[in-house]
């Protein structure tokens, strides 16, 4: 289950290692389909480089993944009610640290890829008045029962493009989990301390783990 749990976190932001010009973000289903194909195709093709230097995954995530993630929105969701008690500078610092934390987390998780199969649900009409939808993804592993994940995407009303921001596994929101995990520290230590903690976590080297 180590890979599956990690992949859940990785796919929180709907990973996509594709060139921006080839990804149609105006439709969440097409976007998910395209970026999933590119992601796992890239992982297969780059295994030699990744095994030699796992830090390359961090570079790939920064260059190819972040444009498709609404990291600030996700960071603010994690802050929740604590957002009201922060300054602009503190929010910017937290968002940047949270982004670096996600990059490191995704890069570490991607070291565990072993050619699992990903199946996306069939496209559905997207109501004109919907700004947030979920897209189902099934992870097929010959050694385990299928795992169902639901990825939440949000429409940017200015650009009319969809971006990932959360993942729900077995009814549990990843952002809600992180919010609960850090809420106590935010209350007792403050946002600056949590921001530094995120920086420390993000700075840990990417390492190939035993599968």
């Amino acid at each position: 289950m180590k890979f599956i749990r990690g992949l859940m976190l990785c796919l929180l932001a709907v990973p996509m290692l594709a060139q921006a010009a080839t990804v149609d973000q105006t439709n969440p289903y097409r976007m998910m389909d395209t970026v999933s194909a590119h992601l796992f195709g890239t992982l297969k093709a780059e295994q030699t480089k990744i095994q030699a230097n796992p830090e390359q995954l961090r570079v790939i995530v920064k260059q190819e993944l972040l444009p498709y993630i609404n990291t600030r929105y996700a960071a603010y969701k994690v802050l929740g009610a604590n957002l009201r008690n922060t300054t602009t500078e503190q929010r910017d610092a937290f968002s940047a640290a949270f982004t670096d934390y996600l990059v490191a987390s995704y890069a570490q998780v991607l070291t565990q890829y072993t050619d699992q199969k990903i199946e996306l649900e069939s496209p559905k009409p997207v109501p004109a008045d919907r700004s947030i939808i979920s897209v189902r993804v099934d992870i097929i592993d010959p050694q385990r029962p299928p795992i169902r994940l639901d990825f939440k995407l949000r429409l940017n009303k200015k650009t009319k493009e969809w971006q990932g921001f959360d993942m729900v596994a077995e009814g549990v929101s990843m952002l809600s989990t992180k919010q609960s995990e850090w809420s106590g520290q935010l209350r007792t230590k403050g946002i600056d301390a949590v921001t530094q903690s995120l920086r420390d976590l993000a700075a840990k080297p990417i390492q190939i783990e035993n599968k």
Side-chain angles (χ1 to χ4, degrees):
M1 291 298 293
K2 187 176 184 181
F3 170 79
I4 298 300
R5 289 196 300 268
L7 188 58
M8 289 177 180
L9 173 60
C10 179
L11 293 178
L12 157 67
V14 195
M16 39 199 84
L17 300 177
Q19 296 298 322
T22 67
V23 178
D24 179 7
Q25 289 182 254
T26 62
N27 182 283
Y29 295 97
R30 287 198 296 268
M31 184 183 76
M32 287 283 292
D33 184 64
T34 301
V35 299
S36 294
H38 276 273
L39 170 62
F40 294 103
T42 299
L43 290 177
K44 288 180 182 179
E46 298 296 324
Q47 277 303 299
T48 299
K49 293 181 180 179
I50 292 168
Q51 294 295 320
N53 179 22
E55 288 291 328
Q56 181 63 24
L57 283 168
R58 197 193 299 263
V59 176
I60 293 173
V61 170
K62 285 183 178 179
Q63 292 180 344
E64 308 295 347
L65 171 59
L66 290 186
Y68 306 100
I69 307 171
N70 195 331
T71 55
R72 181 172 290 271
Y73 182 77
Y76 283 8
K77 292 282 285 184
V78 168
L79 285 173
N82 295 285
L83 184 67
R84 295 193 299 267
N85 303 317
T86 61
T87 65
T88 299
E89 291 74 17
Q90 286 176 319
R91 291 192 292 272
D92 288 345
F94 181 85
S95 295
F98 183 73
T99 298
D100 289 341
Y101 166 77
L102 289 180
V103 168
S105 297
Y106 303 156
Q108 185 60 54
V109 165
L110 289 176
T111 66
Q112 301 174 32
Y113 174 68
T114 56
D115 202 18
Q116 285 80 1
K117 182 179 180 181
I118 308 298
E119 292 185 353
L120 279 69
E121 70 172 295
S122 300
K124 300 177 182 177
V126 180
D129 61 345
R130 292 283 297 278
S131 60
I132 293 178
I133 69 165
S134 295
V135 178
R136 174 177 175 174
V137 175
D138 290 307
I139 301 174
I140 310 300
D141 189 320
Q143 306 302 319
R144 306 177 179 89
I147 301 295
R148 173 176 173 169
L149 307 176
D150 292 282
F151 297 96
K152 300 184 71 172
L153 298 98
R154 180 174 181 266
L155 177 66
N156 184 318
K157 294 182 179 180
K158 292 183 178 180
T159 66
K160 303 302 180 183
E161 294 180 332
W162 292 88
Q163 292 177 298
F165 72 92
D166 194 10
M167 185 280 307
V168 178
E170 299 180 358
V172 179
S173 161
M174 185 61 67
L175 284 187
S176 295
T177 299
K178 290 301 175 184
Q179 184 182 47
S180 298
E181 181 180 332
W182 295 331
S183 61
Q185 295 181 49
L186 286 166
R187 288 194 306 271
T188 60
K189 298 181 180 180
I191 187 173
D192 295 334
V194 176
T195 297
Q196 185 58 51
S197 178
L198 289 174
R199 291 183 183 129
D200 294 341
L201 290 171
K204 293 183 177 180
I206 308 304
Q207 299 179 334
I208 302 294
E209 299 181 348
N210 293 327
K211 301 180 177 64

